[in-house]
């Protein structure tokens, strides 16, 4: 079964974290999580799969993207193959009040402390997360979530949008883990910024789904204002789609390059597109689908929350700093 058929066979939206976890488990058992690696020559195909899942259910996409990103990261850093049928979270948020520490005890690496923003923590079998060693270095570690000493709390998650991802806090109490790569590798590796563009592909997939809800009534009834909104949506999606195509081509031709500038540009472009689509679709359709269409209502609540994986003006400032350091001929047509 291909990914499209798998998704079409399910009823949407999924209503609980357990439903998301079971659906992801089904995708893993069907081999649908085996996406091309970023920069492998099929980067666009990878992003198309992420966008397809996002268009059906952003909660599921959050877990699917994290799982597939973890698999790609483990492979990039030369880790051992993952256990068959395992499902992975990628937990790398670093708020100052929730940093996990690691220490060596009798030749074993143990985790201590609180980790925040852990999507799917209660329904996934394994986690790949950032921790801090005794020298103050950030280290990526893999942990089996079925061990004692792990408390998946109810803290830190009161969301309406993206509620089913249950992105809660985890508390570790001397939990064995496995180091992945070397200190600092998580941020240094080419895959970090490649994966950041993959998040933008999820945003775009959700925006396409919202646009489809507008396109359908416009095809049946030529209402001038709705058509104007659809035209604005189509133009925005065209630019965002071309951005991802350009990025995929570049990464496939330059898999080891520093793609921070590319990623920041793409994310800013696609975030703006998604916000444009949200505004136009809502104005065109009115209250009806927000109140009577469960999938549309869920997607409309989820996408603004998912978009906040962007850091807004802080990201734009970082992009501006990169642009200021670029050659004067950076922008020729």
């Amino acid at each position: 079964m291909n990914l499209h058929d798998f998704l079409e066979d399910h009823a949407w939206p999924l209503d609980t974290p357990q439903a998301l976890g079971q659906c992801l488990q089904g995708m893993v058992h069907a081999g649908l999580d085996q996406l091309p690696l970023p920069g492998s020559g099929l980067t666009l195909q990878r992003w198309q799969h992420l966008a397809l899942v996002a268009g059906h259910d952003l909660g599921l996409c959050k877990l699917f993207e994290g799982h597939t990103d973890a698999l790609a990261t483990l492979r990039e850093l030369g880790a051992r193959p993952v256990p068959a049928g395992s499902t992975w979270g990628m937990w790398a948020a670093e708020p100052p009040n929730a940093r996990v520490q690691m220490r060596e005890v009798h030749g074993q690496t143990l985790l201590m402390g609180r980790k925040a923003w852990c999507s799917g923590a209660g329904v996934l079998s394994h986690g790949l997360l950032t921790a801090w060693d005794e020298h103050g270095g950030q280290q990526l570690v893999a942990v089996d979530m079925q061990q004692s000493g792990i408390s998946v709390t109810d803290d830190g998650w009161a969301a309406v949008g993206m509620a089913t991802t249950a992105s809660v806090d985890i508390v570790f109490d001397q939990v064995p883990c496995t180091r992945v790569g070397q200190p600092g590798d998580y941020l240094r590796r080419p895959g970090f910024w490649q994966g950041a563009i993959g998040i933008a592909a999820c945003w775009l997939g959700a925006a396409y789904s919202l646009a489809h809800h507008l396109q359908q009534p416009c095809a049946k009834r030529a209402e001038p204002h709705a058509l104007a909104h659809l035209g604005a949506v189509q133009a925005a999606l065209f630019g965002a789609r071309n951005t991802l195509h350009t990025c995929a081509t570049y990464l496939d031709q330059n898999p080891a390059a520093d793609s921070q500038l590319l990623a920041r540009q793409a994310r800013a472009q696609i975030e703006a597109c998604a916000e444009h689509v949200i505004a136009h679709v809502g104005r065109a359709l009115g209250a009806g689908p927000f109140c009577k269409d469960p999938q549309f209502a869920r997607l409309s609540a989820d996408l603004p929350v998912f978009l906040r994986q962007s850091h807004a003006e802080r990201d734009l400032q970082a992009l501006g700093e990169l642009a200021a350091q670029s050659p004067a001929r950076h922008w020729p047509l």
Side-chain angles (χ1 to χ4, degrees):
M1 178 180 290
N2 62 35
L3 181 59
H4 177 271
D5 291 342
F6 179 93
L7 295 171
E8 290 296 319
D9 281 348
H10 284 71
W12 307 102
L14 301 174
D15 293 327
T16 65
Q18 290 72 28
L20 292 187
Q22 291 168 5
C23 191
L24 178 62
Q25 190 74 66
M27 298 168 84
V28 170
H29 283 309
L32 300 175
D33 62 331
Q34 300 303 303
L35 303 185
L37 295 174
S40 66
L42 294 172
T43 300
L44 183 62
Q45 185 183 114
R46 179 184 182 87
W47 294 344
Q48 287 169 335
H49 282 75
L50 294 175
L52 182 61
V53 177
H56 282 79
D57 190 294
L58 271 179
L60 177 63
C61 183
K62 176 65 175 174
L63 268 58
F64 182 71
E65 188 281 327
H67 170 79
T68 54
D69 188 40
L71 297 185
T73 302
L74 288 164
R75 184 163 174 180
E76 183 178 13
L77 295 181
R80 291 177 295 181
V82 302
S86 57
T87 54
W88 289 75
M90 185 75 190
W91 303 320
E94 290 287 355
N97 62 339
R99 285 189 168 185
V100 175
Q101 304 296 318
M102 51 188 291
R103 61 181 181 177
E104 292 295 317
V105 179
H106 304 305
Q108 189 174 43
T109 305
L110 302 180
L111 297 180
M112 290 286 295
R114 179 177 291 263
K115 192 69 174 173
W117 302 100
C118 300
S119 297
V123 298
L124 300 174
S125 67
H126 291 74
L128 187 63
L129 59 140
T130 49
W132 296 83
D133 63 25
E134 59 274 17
H135 305 296
Q138 188 189 68
Q139 171 74 58
L140 203 60
V141 298
V143 61
D144 184 340
M145 292 295 293
Q146 314 309 311
Q147 302 177 82
S148 61
I150 298 176
S151 299
V152 178
T153 75
D154 294 326
D155 301 336
W157 196 241
V160 176
M162 300 296 288
T164 54
T165 63
S167 301
V168 295
D169 293 3
I170 305 172
V171 177
F172 296 96
D173 184 6
Q174 300 197 57
V175 177
C177 66
T178 303
R179 294 175 183 254
V180 176
Q182 299 299 315
D185 277 356
Y186 174 66
L187 296 177
R188 281 196 301 260
R189 62 195 173 87
F192 177 79
W193 288 108
Q194 295 169 356
I197 307 176
I199 293 289
C202 301
W203 300 341
L204 185 58
Y208 267 118
S209 186
L210 285 178
H212 181 66
H213 281 85
L214 174 57
Q215 190 272 337
Q216 286 180 310
C218 285
K220 297 175 182 176
R221 177 171 174 263
E223 198 284 313
H225 291 153
L227 288 172
H229 285 298
L230 181 60
V233 164
Q234 175 68 17
L237 292 174
F238 178 74
R241 176 183 178 274
N242 287 343
T243 294
L244 282 187
H245 278 249
T246 298
C247 289
T249 298
Y250 177 84
L251 294 184
D252 287 339
Q253 294 174 350
N254 304 275
D258 178 357
S259 55
Q260 179 181 177
L261 176 60
L262 187 75
R264 289 193 180 279
Q265 290 175 144
R267 285 167 65 94
Q269 167 77 13
I270 294 168
E271 179 186 0
C273 167
E275 291 178 338
H276 198 68
V277 170
I278 290 169
H280 278 283
V281 170
R283 291 174 68 86
L285 294 180
F290 288 98
C291 303
K292 297 183 177 182
D293 184 330
Q295 188 178 8
F296 179 91
R298 174 69 63 78
L299 189 61
S300 297
D302 287 349
L303 182 53
V305 178
F306 204 168
L307 283 172
R308 295 283 45 87
Q309 284 192 260
S310 155
H311 298 105
E313 279 69 24
R314 281 184 292 169
D315 282 351
L316 291 175
Q317 177 189 353
L319 177 56
E321 290 170 352
L322 291 170
Q325 297 164 10
S326 297
R329 295 180 59 195
H330 185 65
W331 292 322
L333 183 63

